[in-house]
Amino acid sequence: MRSPFRLTPEILLKAYRAGIFPMAESADDPELFWVDPEHRGILPLDAFHVPRRLRRVVLQDRFEVRVDSDFAGTLAACAEATENRPSTWINAEIVRLYSALHALDAAHSVECWQHGALVGGLYGVSIGGAFYGESMFSRVADASKVALVHLVALMRMGGYRLLDLQFVTPHLAQFGAIEVPRSQYRLLLVEALRYRCVFPRGVGGGGGAAGAGALAALQASKVTS
């Protein structure tokens, strides 16, 4: 169902609370439409799986992980066409709306930096105890995966209850992502929205201990494997 009027950040937040989200047909399409999948992708926080090889990468601290350091740059990178992803659904209206949500402290980015450059990350919307993951990107191998590990660690630290992925891809399935029926998702969402969580700005001791800090946060919550 296409939106017949100009959306506001407030309307968008209400839509997320109701379990629906907007998309565009392509980056060139000026319009948005609402999506309410019959089966919803989620990543159970208590069953998050860190593959063995990725665990080593996280511990090596190849990247400096930041939160909200460059939300606009992360959003723009997620919208870029690449060889593996020739087109995206992030159009100018998505950029406008999620930039406004970020200004309201309702949207956040988890970023991987290397040698002073933004090389990977993800962004999403935070409401109550739910985080709605929107998109991710990598310019360097494993950067988006490391960002996801840190996102889950941050969510566990912040007391979040639900990580909404919208759809399950093979890339996300390796971390334990599953599909649940719409009715079950709505129940999980209602429960998560009962909480009032503040999105943390970092994990661990910072510096070279960031990766170990993220994995320690996950292990303490019994979500590593």
Side-chain angles (χ1 to χ4, degrees), residues 74-86:
T74 302
L75 182 55
C78 288
E80 289 177 353
T82 66
E83 182 177 347
N84 296 327
R85 186 180 60 182

Side-chain angles (χ1 to χ4, degrees), residues 2 23 25 44 47-48 70 146 169 179 189 195 198 222:
R2 291 185 177 272
M23 292 187 72
E25 291 288 354
F48 181 58
D70 188 359
V146 171
T169 64
E179 285 187 342
L189 179 60
Y195 295 83
V198 176
K222 298 181 181 179

Side-chain angles (χ1 to χ4, degrees), residues 154-176:
L154 289 165
M155 290 182 63
R156 296 296 296 188
M157 290 177 61
Y160 282 77
R161 295 301 194 273
L162 176 64
L163 175 49
D164 176 2
L165 302 176
Q166 299 178 351
F167 305 103
V168 175
T169 64
H171 173 72
L172 294 172
Q174 67 182 306
F175 298 101

Side-chain angles (χ1 to χ4, degrees), residues 91-148:
N91 64 2
E93 185 70 350
I94 291 287
V95 172
R96 178 186 72 83
L97 285 166
Y98 289 82
S99 297
L101 289 184
H102 177 63
L104 295 174
D105 202 36
H108 301 280
S109 58
V110 180
E111 310 148 9
C112 285
W113 292 73
Q114 195 173 67
H115 308 305
L118 178 62
V119 296
L122 56 86
Y123 78 95
V125 176
S126 174
I127 308 176
F131 189 88
Y132 309 78
E134 286 295 316
S135 187
M136 59 175 57
F137 80 99
S138 280
R139 292 171 176 158
V140 173
D142 297 319
S144 65
K145 296 177 183 178
V146 171
L148 180 60

